[in-house]
C-alpha cells in the first residue's frame, strides 16, 4: 500500500486532517516535516496510506489546507 506525506503547514490543519481520516477508518498520523521540507509552512504533515484521490477529496471537502502531497 502506498504511503503519502500531506503537507498541511500548520499543526491545526494536521490535527483536523488526521481526525477526519481516522473517522473514516483511514490510517493517519501527524509528523513534523524534515528541515529540507519546511518550505511548506511551519512543518506539519499528515502521513497516510490508501487511495490518495479519496483522501485528498475528504480533506479538501473539510477545508483542510493541503500545500503538497509527497509520496514516501
Amino acid at each position: 500500500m502506498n504511503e503519502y506525506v500531506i503537507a498541511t503547514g500548520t499543526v491545526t490543519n494536521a490535527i483536523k486532517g488526521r481526525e477526519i481520516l481516522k473517522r473514516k477508518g483511514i490510517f493517519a498520523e501527524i509528523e513534523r516535516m524534515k528541515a529540507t521540507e519546511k518550505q511548506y509552512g511551519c512543518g506539519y504533515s499528515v502521513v497516510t496510506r490508501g487511495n490518495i484521490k479519496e483522501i485528498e477529496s475528504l480533506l479538501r471537502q473539510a477545508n483542510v489546507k493541503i500545500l503538497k502531497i509527497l509520496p514516501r
Side-chain angles (χ1 to χ4, degrees), residues 5-7 11 14 16 18 20 24 27 29-32 35 39 41-43 52 55 58 62 64 67 71:
V5 177
I6 302 171
V11 71
K16 183 177 177 182
R18 177 190 65 191
I20 288 163
K24 293 288 186 176
F27 168 83
E29 293 180 338
I30 296 174
E31 190 174 275
R32 190 107 164 129
Q39 69 230 21
C42 54
I52 195 60
I55 291 167
L58 288 169
V64 174
L67 301 176

Side-chain angles (χ1 to χ4, degrees), residues 4-56:
Y4 299 92
V5 177
I6 302 171
T8 60
T10 67
V11 71
T12 303
N13 274 310
I15 291 168
K16 183 177 177 182
R18 177 190 65 191
E19 296 309 309
I20 288 163
L21 295 177
K22 282 188 168 191
R23 276 187 253 137
K24 293 288 186 176
I26 299 170
F27 168 83
E29 293 180 338
I30 296 174
E31 190 174 275
R32 190 107 164 129
M33 297 188 78
K34 298 175 191 150
T36 57
E37 299 169 332
K38 290 229 176 157
Q39 69 230 21
Y40 307 114
C42 54
Y44 286 92
S45 63
V46 177
V47 177
T48 188
R49 297 183 203 120
N51 179 334
I52 195 60
K53 298 270 187 212
E54 176 189 2
I55 291 167
E56 182 179 5

